[in-house]
Amino acid sequence: MKNLILRHLNLIDYAIWNLKRNKLKNSLIFFIYTFCIFLVSSVLMFTSSLNREAKEILAHAPDMIVQKVVAGRHDLIEISYLDTLKGIRGISEIKPRLWGYYFEPNLRVNFSLVVPLNEQPEKGSIYIGSGVAKILKKTENDFLPFVKTSKESLLLEIEKVIEFETSLMTNDLIIMNEEDFRNITGMGENKFTDIALFINNKNEIDKIAEKILNSMPNVRVVTKSSILKTYDSLFNWRSSLVFFLISMVLVAFLIVAVDRFISINVDDRNEIGLLKALGWDTSDTIILKSWESVVISSLSFLIGINSAYIHIFLFDARIFKPIIMGWSVLYPHFNLVPNINMWTLITIFAITVLPFILFSIVSVWRLSITEPDVAMR
Amino acid sequence: MIEVIKVSKIYNQHKHNECVAVDNVSLEIPEKAVTVICGPSGSGKTTLLSIIGAMIKPTSGRIFVNGQEITSLSERFLSKFRRENIGFVFQKFNLIRNLTVLQNLFIPLIPLGFSKKVFEKKAYMLLEKLNLSNLANANCEQLSGGEAQRVAIARALINDPKIIIADEPSANLDSHNTQNLLEIFRELIKENRTLIIASHDPIIYSSDIINVRFNMRDGRLIYD
């Protein structure tokens, strides 16, 4: 056992000497490799974090939203629709909602205006998300000016700056009283943006949705699960786009890997042949080259993963955000909440480190089974 | 004793570029003696040495080393055989570039699972013996031809093999260094080692240290 450990320690030592003696070549491989891991990890961390945020948001969302549709477009829904909904069995709670967007022309950003279902702020007061506070450089007790549709201005006092658990959808929120909302947006008294429904028996959601569509033909019903599916496909599609771009980088990396490991150069061939001539076994040379790969790939993995973490969660995913994100609600600055699970790490490891080590083992094995004299010629 | 029985080596057999490097060679190499195989370049000396040193398998024929047939050994046992019995000295020294002299000497010991202390003890003893102690930490790239050859010999001796195979050991040395090399060989004979040298250098093959001489041409042994 002691001999086995010593043998591996000696082989690791030699692997490190070997990496050092080919500094230039190995540094190049290391940098390209680390960059690839950084890119792949960034995308995976970004999309995994987005999905988590979406799920967190939807955890407390209504089971169903009813929207009025006119000419295929979302329109304001009249209070009379509530009566029809009250007649449908299985719905435990019906809550008309008020929300919309407010464009701030000076900063060219959109904020989401929301009237909460419970506990509204007092008239003249608002709660704002931390992203809004940051971008407007405002804090509690400051006043925020709004321009009404009638072009008159309205000053509302910031009562609270709220740090939400998730920031994807809540960072740009301005929460206000119903009267202030109607004042700013010009929305009529008996109209709402949509209606939120809560269902007791979750198995009945689809059935109830069907009933609603049959009884009110000019509405659309959005269920929580369909929103989740939309998020999933949206993030997956966008991440696929980035993956496509990254795959080009991976191909470049593959070429380097192929050059390094499959079409092993004369120097490497000589080395393997010499080691075998000096009494090394095939397994010794394979273990040696595996250790070399493990050293490079582990370092690259650690640095790549950590750089990706810093990029996504500390530097706000500057490289990917414009590609993966991109709808108006998200114009304000927001920070993603770190969300790295074991599967994300295993996936990154599996698509970056394992192929690299595998390449090295296969190519060295091919060379090691050659007679030393032939390898050295 | 090493017995070579009807050994042939054909490269690229049955291809358009087929090449018979060694053709039906039989010879006996005595133990604890210096045997030289001479002949011009391309006569098959190196290939024959590689076959004797278990670096390459012959196309046909058999080789016995102290009664043990090595031509039938599997790759794993051939490695073991090389490690325990053979020390190679190559024409171009074949030191691993950008490693120190000491690191190059460690190479044959690495897979054996010895501690660093054992490595160093063995290596320093040999460096002392070959007057290389002051170069222990020198980069191999910085060595002169004579120094590099002595390091290569030290590396061949580190596992204390009974058989030393040297392929054109003086090819990259001047006459002064060649004389020094012969002195080293003389010391090795005193240690009861078997030396097999391939050379077409007259200083080597005419030296008084040589006990047995074989001539080769076109892959065959030539008898005067």
Side-chain angles (χ1 to χ4, degrees):
Chain A
M1 189 64 187
K2 191 185 165 196
N3 267 17
L4 186 75
I5 294 168
L6 276 173
R7 176 174 170 239
H8 275 273
L9 287 176
N10 293 338
L11 286 168
I12 292 170
D13 262 356
Y14 185 72
I16 293 168
W17 299 345
N18 242 359
L19 292 172
K20 279 187 190 166
R21 76 186 182 87
N22 295 310
K23 258 183 220 149
L24 189 72
K25 187 172 74 176
N26 288 317
S27 303
L28 186 72
I29 292 169
F30 173 75
F31 282 119
I32 295 174
Y33 191 22
T34 305
F35 184 62
C36 287
I37 293 176
F38 162 75
L39 289 179
V40 173
S41 317
S42 292
V43 174
L44 286 178
M45 283 183 195
F46 193 61
T47 49
S48 136
S49 197
L50 281 179
N51 277 323
R52 176 195 164 274
E53 293 250 326
K55 277 172 190 153
E56 289 259 323
I57 292 159
L58 291 175
H60 308 291
D63 296 314
M64 211 181 278
I65 293 161
V66 179
Q67 296 176 331
K68 185 180 172 188
V69 177
V70 174
R73 293 183 66 87
H74 177 201
D75 198 12
L76 298 178
I77 196 162
E78 287 85 17
I79 199 159
S80 58
Y81 279 69
L82 295 177
D83 298 330
T84 318
L85 289 169
K86 278 174 192 165
I88 296 171
R89 289 180 65 187
I91 301 172
S92 59
E93 222 175 325
I94 301 170
K95 294 205 167 176
R97 303 197 309 179
L98 287 170
W99 59 269
Y101 301 126
Y102 179 80
F103 183 68
E104 160 57 52
N106 296 326
L107 294 167
R108 303 190 63 76
V109 293
N110 268 313
F111 296 125
S112 300
L113 304 185
V114 174
V115 176
L117 296 175
N118 313 309
E119 291 179 37
Q120 295 177 15
E122 282 183 18
K123 187 171 179 281
S125 297
I126 50 172
Y127 309 150
I128 61 172
S130 53
V132 180
K134 207 169 186 178
I135 203 164
L136 294 173
K137 297 187 178 86
K138 297 278 184 190
T139 180
E140 284 170 11
N141 303 323
D142 283 348
F143 282 88
L144 202 59
F146 289 88
V147 180
K148 298 197 271 186
T149 45
S150 59
K151 300 294 176 197
E152 292 167 50
S153 69
L154 177 68
L155 273 179
L156 298 178
E157 188 183 359
I158 300 167
E159 195 183 321
K160 252 192 245 173
V161 175
I162 306 172
E163 287 285 351
F164 293 98
E165 261 180 56
T166 65
S167 54
L168 176 63
M169 298 296 204
T170 51
N171 213 40
D172 67 338
L173 275 190
I174 298 178
I175 297 169
M176 55 180 59
N177 180 279
E178 181 175 345
E179 205 178 322
D180 291 331
F181 180 86
R182 290 192 189 278
N183 238 334
I184 293 167
T185 57
M187 201 183 277
E189 272 302 309
N190 294 323
K191 291 190 172 181
F192 296 90
T193 312
D194 51 27
I195 299 168
L197 303 181
F198 294 87
I199 314 293
N200 271 343
N201 185 352
K202 308 296 176 200
N203 295 328
E204 283 187 356
I205 289 177
D206 289 338
K207 193 80 190 157
I208 292 169
E210 201 182 316
K211 278 186 198 169
I212 295 169
L213 287 173
N214 288 336
S215 53
M216 294 187 283
N218 60 338
V219 297
R220 84 171 151 217
V221 178
V222 184
T223 59
K224 198 196 271 189
S225 64
S226 69
I227 298 173
L228 260 179
K229 272 182 206 158
T230 309
Y231 279 134
D232 266 348
S233 60
L234 185 70
F235 296 144
N236 287 341
W237 180 83
R238 283 168 189 271
S239 58
S240 304
L241 181 75
V242 178
F243 260 119
F244 173 72
L245 297 173
I246 286 174
S247 64
M248 288 191 234
V249 180
L250 286 174
V251 167
F253 166 67
L254 205 67
I255 293 167
V256 174
V258 166
D259 178 60
R260 170 76 177 84
F261 293 118
I262 288 184
S263 53
I264 284 187
N265 61 36
V266 179
D267 211 29
D268 291 327
R269 290 175 71 90
N270 262 331
E271 188 197 357
I272 302 280
L274 178 67
L275 294 178
K276 290 201 73 185
L278 296 177
W280 285 44
D281 206 356
T282 302
S283 65
D284 298 326
T285 54
I286 290 174
I287 292 169
L288 168 74
K289 293 295 166 186
S290 303
W291 275 123
E292 280 182 25
S293 305
V294 167
V295 170
I296 291 188
S297 53
S298 309
L299 268 179
S300 297
F301 184 72
L302 283 176
I303 295 174
I305 287 268
N306 283 304
S307 317
Y309 186 93
I310 292 167
H311 166 231
I312 298 295
F313 301 119
L314 299 184
F315 284 95
D316 201 22
R318 288 211 182 139
I319 300 175
F320 298 127
K321 215 170 183 179
I323 309 170
I324 298 186
M325 305 304 300
W327 61 81
S328 58
V329 190
L330 296 168
Y331 274 151
H333 170 87
F334 71 91
N335 291 316
L336 286 167
V337 179
N339 174 43
I340 303 172
N341 55 38
M342 201 38 105
W343 279 113
T344 312
L345 288 178
I346 290 172
T347 309
I348 297 168
F349 187 84
I351 61 178
T352 56
V353 175
L354 291 185
F356 189 81
I357 294 176
L358 209 67
F359 269 138
S360 72
I361 292 175
V362 170
S363 52
V364 170
W365 171 77
R366 281 175 59 209
L367 201 59
S368 296
I369 55 169
T370 324
E371 291 171 317
D373 183 73
V374 176
M376 288 168 74
R377 269 170 198 260
Chain B
M1 184 165 70
I2 299 168
E3 287 174 273
V4 177
I5 302 167
K6 292 183 177 175
V7 161
S8 294
K9 179 67 188 178
I10 305 168
Y11 288 107
N12 305 317
Q13 200 174 15
H14 308 309
K15 289 183 186 163
H16 69 282
N17 54 346
E18 181 177 290
C19 168
V20 181
V22 175
D23 189 4
N24 204 29
V25 168
S26 295
L27 52 85
E28 286 182 1
I29 296 168
E31 245 186 313
K32 299 169 190 172
V34 184
T35 301
V36 72
I37 301 167
C38 24
S41 296
S43 58
K45 306 183 298 286
T46 299
T47 304
L48 184 59
L49 280 195
S50 295
I51 294 170
I52 294 169
M55 290 245 286
I56 190 173
K57 284 199 170 185
T59 311
S60 62
R62 302 165 81 185
I63 293 177
F64 291 86
V65 177
N66 295 330
Q68 182 193 11
E69 186 178 355
I70 61 164
T71 31
S72 61
L73 291 177
S74 69
E75 177 52 38
R76 193 171 159 210
F77 285 101
L78 279 178
S79 297
K80 189 169 182 285
F81 171 79
R82 284 193 295 268
R83 187 162 60 232
E84 290 173 355
N85 298 286
I86 312 275
F88 284 99
V89 179
F90 300 96
Q91 182 177 344
K92 290 176 186 165
F93 319 135
N94 279 358
L95 300 176
I96 305 256
R97 61 178 183 82
N98 288 330
L99 289 187
T100 65
V101 167
L102 212 52
Q103 287 169 333
N104 262 286
L105 256 58
F106 289 166
I107 291 170
L109 301 171
I110 284 171
L112 299 181
F114 293 146
S115 70
K116 277 274 156 57
K117 270 189 185 167
V118 177
F119 280 18
E120 283 175 3
K121 192 177 163 195
K122 283 179 169 236
Y124 277 112
M125 255 168 56
L126 281 168
L127 290 175
E128 179 89 31
K129 191 169 154 185
L130 293 164
N131 289 326
L132 289 165
S133 300
N134 56 330
L135 295 172
N137 293 310
N139 187 328
C140 283
E141 301 277 283
Q142 295 160 352
L143 301 178
S144 69
E147 289 166 342
Q149 186 62 292
R150 277 185 287 151
V151 174
I153 292 170
R155 187 180 61 188
L157 294 173
I158 197 117
N159 274 339
D160 197 21
K162 286 283 164 271
I163 302 165
I164 304 292
I165 292 179
D167 182 17
E168 301 281 6
S170 61
N172 291 298
L173 301 180
D174 57 24
S175 57
H176 172 71
N177 276 316
T178 305
Q179 286 301 340
N180 289 341
L181 180 72
L182 287 172
E183 286 311 309
I184 294 169
F185 285 166
R186 220 180 288 277
E187 290 301 312
L188 295 179
I189 299 158
K190 283 182 193 164
E191 293 167 3
N192 288 328
R193 297 184 205 268
T194 304
L195 258 77
I196 310 165
I197 305 166
S199 178
H200 63 273
D201 180 352
I203 303 178
I204 298 278
Y205 66 69
S206 321
S207 159
D208 61 349
I209 66 160
I210 305 298
N211 305 107
V212 182
R213 195 168 98 180
F214 294 104
N215 291 309
M216 278 190 84
R217 184 162 294 176
D218 299 329
R220 294 180 178 191
L221 286 183
I222 306 289
Y223 298 96
D224 296 330

